[in-house]
Amino acid sequence: MKIAVGSDHAGYQLKLAAIRLLIDKRLDFVDVGCNSTDSCDYPDYAKKAAELVASGQCDLGLLFCGTGLGMSIAANKVHGIRAAVCSDTFSARAAREHNDANILCIGERVVGQGLAMELIDVFLCAKFLGGKHQRRVDKLMAIE
Ligand code: RB5
């Protein structure tokens, strides 16, 4: 599994922690930036990561900003992307199992690093359940 990871300055520390987690898990990843805590614009990195996922070059994506909101709004504008902002493990699991979310967004100013790593772990391990959820995801994507 290959993961696209990205952040703006406000999510940079969580992105570094996420990369350490991915290395521990021996998962391949592409880091689309940013590369420091210098102020930058989250849509630039959301777009790069979302396009990697939408094109199939990456299987899933992880995006970090201050709240997770800007990243999710931007990523969801890319065709084929279902980005979910999560701050609890129940939602992170349901995002994969029910919504077939392909990008997880987390806010560094909202969620502590320990919980954020659990969210990522749950999101990466959960599987889409299909069935009635597939019908709903199909309707979701038909809106595009
Ligand atoms: C940056 O100040 C902040 O607005 C950004 O990281 C994000 O939270 C936007 O949604």
Side-chain angles (χ1 to χ4, degrees):
M1 186 165 23
K2 195 179 221 179
I3 314 295
V5 292
S7 75
D8 70 355
H9 56 289
Y12 182 66
Q13 298 299 338
L14 268 193
K15 188 187 72 169
L16 293 184
I19 287 173
R20 288 194 292 273
L21 183 72
L22 295 176
I23 291 170
D24 281 353
K25 288 175 162 293
R26 297 180 197 284
L27 288 173
D28 202 2
F29 66 91
V30 180
D31 180 0
V32 301
C34 66
N35 298 309
S36 76
T37 53
D38 293 348
S39 185
C40 61
D41 301 333
Y42 57 82
D44 298 338
Y45 305 98
K47 182 171 185 284
K48 286 182 187 176
E51 286 176 348
L52 285 174
V53 174
S55 68
Q57 293 174 79
C58 288
D59 302 289
L60 294 172
L62 301 171
L63 286 170
F64 309 94
C65 63
T67 58
L69 294 169
M71 283 297 193
S72 68
I73 293 168
N76 276 318
K77 293 193 180 298
V78 174
H79 192 90
I81 292 303
R82 292 173 298 280
V85 191
C86 297
S87 52
D88 66 276
T89 54
F90 183 87
S91 299
R93 181 176 295 104
R96 289 286 302 127
E97 290 184 347
H98 291 204
N99 311 115
D100 200 15
N102 45 19
I103 295 186
L104 173 66
C105 302
I106 304 178
E108 183 177 308
R109 295 173 178 165
V110 181
V111 174
Q113 196 173 111
L115 175 55
M117 296 307 105
E118 282 198 37
L119 297 175
I120 293 168
D121 193 44
V122 164
F123 184 80
L124 295 181
C125 292
K127 299 272 179 282
F128 180 50
L129 295 177
K132 65 186 178 189
H133 301 295
Q134 183 64 65
R135 184 178 70 243
R136 293 161 187 169
V137 170
D138 288 345
K139 289 186 178 181
L140 196 60
M141 302 322 287
I143 298 171
E144 285 187 338

